[in-house]
Amino acid sequence: STATAPSKASSSVPSIIKIPRSIHEVDNGKILGFGAELSEDHPGFHDEAYKQRRVMIANIARQHEVGEFIPRIDYTPEEVAVWGTALSKLKALFPSHACAEFNAALPKFNFREDEVPQLQDISEVLQQSSGWQVRPVAGLMHPRDFLNGLAFKYFHSTQYMRHASKPHYTPEPDVVHELIGHVPMLANPTFAEMVQAIGVASLGADEKQIWHLTKVYWYTVEFGVVREAGEIKAFGSGILSSFGELEHMGQGRAELAPFDPFSTQPKMSYKDGYQRRYFVLDSFQTGLDQLRQFAASIKPGVSAR
Ligand code: NLE
Ligand code: FE2
């Protein structure tokens, strides 16, 4: 089914918004950034071998069809070392800095320092935990397509590794971010429902609503923190996958503000570095209630069911 949306100011022709009926109709081929082309400020910009590797891994995602086995990547010893460094530093911080739900889910995935997990294997474990699956993607997707995927319990995931010169932080998604930052949280049913509520709200949303939902997603799923027995703990994947940012959060110098999906969300950018402000949830159940109410306000009468 389709809905008409208000057109952009520059055009007088109204655009048609396609509402996908299944994950097969969600296009993962429109890559906006962080694909094979790296910007000048990327640590891998002058590293030809790194860039070629990215192209090869991106092509695997481009050729993949939903339901097919996700091809395994034979990660190089250098890539495995980056994964191992990130995992061991993060593991040291998780007991004190990550939320209880994350720490409870992490062991399900058996992450080891000497092996980069394969998307296919992780997707199977995730599916058993909460019904979610992983679909490979070549780089940063169009926000509408990415958010639409969440409605069908699909998480689009990159498969390449961050550059070896900066294991502590990368501005872009990579396999460390997806598998350590996102996947364990998605194994938690209440959290997963919260993410799905954002996805459902995005189906047929107009451009303005998509942009608002992108920020709602950014300040919760990517960079959210939760209050736990009076302390602030990370649940946002962008914090949980970066040992630089996780330490920064733990230092308590960033500003904290209550999360409210109805209010205007601050500007967001991949180029901001560590966040200077985190939005706080009181619990995932509260977050779920808030997001369901918000979704209902833009899509009256529609729910995930
Ligand atoms: N800064 C995160 C990391 O280094 O893992 C990635 C964030 C992607 C939005
Ligand atoms: Fe992410």
Side-chain angles (χ1 to χ4, degrees), residues 72-267:
R72 294 180 184 281
I73 305 283
D74 191 9
Y75 289 101
T76 65
E78 192 185 45
E79 287 168 333
V80 176
V82 175
W83 165 268
T85 302
L87 180 61
S88 74
K89 303 256 188 191
L90 288 167
K91 268 178 157 171
L93 294 165
F94 287 152
S96 49
H97 289 52
C99 69
E101 289 79 356
F102 178 86
N103 285 321
L106 188 63
K108 286 182 201 265
F109 298 94
N110 263 319
F111 293 145
R112 303 163 30 161
E113 270 127 63
D114 60 355
E115 189 180 52
V116 183
Q118 299 292 337
L119 294 192
Q120 178 65 37
D121 300 335
I122 296 301
S123 187
E124 287 171 18
V125 178
L126 182 59
Q127 194 176 10
Q128 282 167 18
S129 305
S130 62
W132 281 65
Q133 293 179 72
V134 167
R135 184 187 187 192
V137 67
L140 195 66
M141 283 169 78
H142 189 286
R144 175 186 300 281
D145 300 328
F146 180 79
L147 295 173
N148 281 184
L150 304 175
F152 301 103
K153 299 191 183 185
Y154 267 86
F155 194 81
H156 286 88
S157 174
T158 55
Q159 208 170 5
Y160 55 79
M161 186 64 67
R162 61 190 57 195
H163 195 259
S165 63
K166 294 209 164 127
H168 69 288
Y169 177 88
T170 163
E172 60 179 348
D174 78 324
V175 72
V176 172
H177 171 69
E178 317 286 20
L179 298 188
I180 303 180
H182 283 289
V183 166
M185 285 309 302
L186 288 170
N188 178 279
T190 310
F191 178 81
E193 273 191 65
M194 190 180 99
V195 181
Q196 193 183 9
I198 302 177
V200 170
S202 80
L203 297 174
D206 66 30
E207 294 307 313
K208 232 181 118 193
Q209 291 168 330
I210 289 291
W211 189 228
H212 182 78
L213 288 166
T214 300
K215 293 188 202 166
V216 163
Y217 174 88
W218 182 261
Y219 290 113
T220 55
V221 181
E222 292 290 339
F223 291 104
V225 297
V226 61
R227 210 176 296 280
E228 198 179 285
E231 285 190 83
I232 294 296
K233 306 281 181 172
F235 74 83
S237 58
I239 313 174
L240 292 168
S241 65
S242 159
F243 56 89
E245 176 127 15
L246 196 53
E247 260 170 7
H248 161 79
M249 186 224 76
Q251 287 159 355
R253 283 198 228 118
E255 208 185 297
L256 298 173
F259 173 69
D260 175 11
F262 288 92
S263 68
T264 306
Q265 304 296 307
K267 184 176 155 286

